[in-house]
Amino acid sequence: MTIREKTELFEKEYLSPYAALSMESKGRDKEEIPCDIRPVYQRDRDRILHCKAFRRLKHKTQVFLTPKGDHYRTRLTHTLEVAQNARTIARALRLNEDLTEAIALGHDLGHTPFGHAGERALNHICSEGFAHYKQSVRIVERLEKSGMGLNLTWEVRDGILNHQMTGKAATLEGRIVRYSDKIAYINHDVDDAIRGGIIREIDLPRAYTDILGHSTRERLNTMIHDIVEQSLDKPDIRMSEEVEYAFMGMRRYMFENVYTNTKAKGEEKKAENIVKELFLYYMEHPELLPNEYVERMWYTGETQERSVCDYIAGMTDQYAISKFQEFFIPDSWKS
């Protein structure tokens, strides 16, 4: 018996009856020889961790564009915080930790440069639309490994696709990531907003902080414990009414006071314009796209709009800025 098979048997004996077992996965689009050490979800986790799109997340905006300081979150540190929250919950509920972590690490691979500002710009200017959660699936299915994709299991792709608030993943592990994403960004965005002088801890509504806690540590502790207590040995992932009320209230507060705050987001229109101008330029000059994007149009019938979106969405913040300068700023004006 291989190490993988022993691990699969351990899952079957130890994990909750509601867990997604590795041996019961719906599988991959392209069948592969099983690894003798790693179950399928662990292989998926490793593939995501080693892919190029994951490495680029460290140079992509989370909320604050070009913040002055080293301690603000990036899209990569956000992803790691989501993964840690999700693993803590999955372990406590005896669900599949490997599957949970794989979904968490892959959930934001499709994010654009400049965070949601770049996403809005592409969605507005591309007639086919653009959404980062769909792009994340597209990356793992079609774009990574020079168009071969990562060939991930169905359960991981389903969890990535359904991590947004309106989604509902087929597995409880995917539903954990959906909550963990919101828990992470609300809490770390409060922390970053306080650090940036946008809000103060005492500004947070007492109606919510009296329930959730009066520090980032307390609020994380409250929400994670509540999910575990409400979901233990149940066929769904949920919060109590009181904690969910405060959780959603804090989310609304952040949208009203941070995510649309002119001090925090004042540069976003400029970022959106960079993305839109790059899109229009590559539509006029498709020959400037890397060869793999041009070849995809030729051999698979991919539209030019989608290929341009794929390329721009994969850019880091600084790379997008450098391409904009290359195309639109006279050399004599560059510092």
Side-chain angles (χ1 to χ4, degrees):
M1 182 180 292
T2 65
I3 294 173
R4 170 185 55 79
E5 289 170 331
K6 291 178 182 178
T7 302
E8 290 172 343
L9 284 177
F10 173 79
E11 286 182 1
K12 187 174 183 180
E13 293 171 0
Y14 172 75
L15 293 185
S16 162
Y18 303 113
L21 301 181
S22 300
M23 64 171 61
E24 295 178 359
S25 169
K26 292 184 179 180
R28 312 178 188 280
D29 285 347
K30 290 174 282 189
E31 192 172 345
E32 298 179 4
I33 298 173
C35 176
D36 60 342
I37 295 176
R38 297 168 299 164
V40 288
Y41 302 136
Q42 188 179 344
R43 288 185 87 181
D44 286 359
R45 188 272 314 274
D46 295 349
R47 290 177 185 187
I48 292 168
L49 191 65
H50 290 289
C51 77
K52 292 187 292 184
F54 184 81
R55 295 196 293 275
R56 290 196 298 268
L57 294 177
K58 68 179 179 178
H59 296 302
K60 292 193 177 191
T61 291
Q62 173 61 23
V63 171
F64 294 90
L65 290 169
T66 60
K68 294 180 174 63
D70 294 331
H71 300 125
Y72 292 87
R73 272 71 170 189
T74 64
R75 189 61 59 179
L76 178 60
T77 57
H78 160 73
T79 295
L80 296 176
E81 291 185 38
V82 173
Q84 183 57 48
N85 293 341
R87 286 179 58 202
T88 297
I89 296 169
R91 184 177 297 182
L93 297 178
R94 291 186 300 115
L95 297 176
N96 195 310
E97 201 171 333
D98 288 337
L99 172 58
T100 306
E101 187 175 21
I103 295 168
L105 293 177
H107 84 281
D108 269 356
L109 291 177
H111 250 297
T112 60
F114 316 121
H116 288 288
E119 181 176 20
R120 285 194 302 271
L122 283 183
N123 187 50
H124 179 264
I125 201 165
C126 177
S127 66
E128 299 177 18
F130 182 90
H132 80 274
Y133 56 92
K134 294 179 181 178
Q135 188 69 11
S136 295
V137 176
R138 183 169 168 78
I139 283 172
V140 301
E141 287 186 341
R142 302 191 65 176
L143 301 183
E144 272 292 331
K145 295 183 69 176
S146 301
M148 295 174 60
L150 301 180
N151 198 29
L152 304 182
T153 56
W154 180 89
E155 291 80 5
V156 172
R157 289 176 286 144
D158 171 78
I160 291 172
L161 182 64
N162 289 291
H163 78 268
Q164 75 282 10
M165 283 297 289
T166 56
K168 187 169 185 178
T171 63
L172 298 196
E173 289 81 359
R175 297 176 202 177
I176 287 174
V177 174
R178 174 179 173 271
Y179 267 116
S180 297
D181 181 32
K182 281 54 181 184
I183 290 171
Y185 77 64
I186 288 172
N187 280 286
H188 65 51
D189 291 352
V190 167
D191 189 39
D192 282 354
I194 291 172
R195 179 176 289 108
I198 308 302
I199 57 174
R200 301 170 298 170
E201 177 69 37
I202 60 172
D203 296 329
L204 299 176
R206 289 291 298 269
Y208 309 139
T209 58
D210 283 349
I211 296 171
L212 300 177
H214 297 281
S215 69
T216 298
R217 176 181 173 276
E218 289 181 5
R219 287 186 284 270
L220 279 170
N221 190 61
T222 297
M223 286 189 267
I224 289 173
H225 273 78
D226 186 72
I227 288 175
V228 171
E229 291 165 4
Q230 296 297 317
S231 307
L232 189 63
D233 297 324
K234 293 185 175 68
D236 202 2
I237 305 301
R238 63 187 70 173
M239 281 181 170
S240 65
E241 288 186 12
E242 181 184 44
V243 170
E244 185 141 31
Y245 157 78
F247 168 69
M248 296 304 293
M250 282 290 287
R251 186 172 181 269
R252 286 192 301 272
Y253 173 84
M254 291 298 290
F255 272 94
E256 293 167 2
N257 294 275
V258 175
Y259 302 141
T260 58
N261 182 285
T262 54
K263 185 175 181 181
K265 314 299 278 183
E267 300 290 286
E268 281 200 348
K269 284 297 179 186
K270 298 176 185 177
E272 289 181 27
N273 286 335
I274 288 175
V275 171
K276 289 179 180 178
E277 291 299 328
L278 287 175
F279 180 89
L280 293 172
Y281 194 82
Y282 282 114
M283 287 300 293
E284 292 179 5
H285 303 280
E287 71 279 2
L288 295 178
L289 290 169
N291 286 339
E292 64 181 277
Y293 293 86
V294 177
E295 289 172 359
R296 191 176 298 117
M297 287 189 284
W298 289 345
Y299 296 125
T300 69
E302 202 76 72
T303 67
Q304 183 178 336
E305 277 194 297
R306 184 53 56 199
S307 290
V308 170
C309 272
D310 287 341
Y311 184 47
I312 294 175
M315 293 180 177
T316 62
D317 293 12
Q318 192 53 53
Y319 187 73
I321 292 169
S322 69
K323 298 308 288 186
F324 181 84
Q325 290 176 332
E326 176 185 339
F327 296 149
F328 298 106
I329 306 298
D331 289 340
S332 60
W333 292 6
K334 298 173 185 176
S335 57

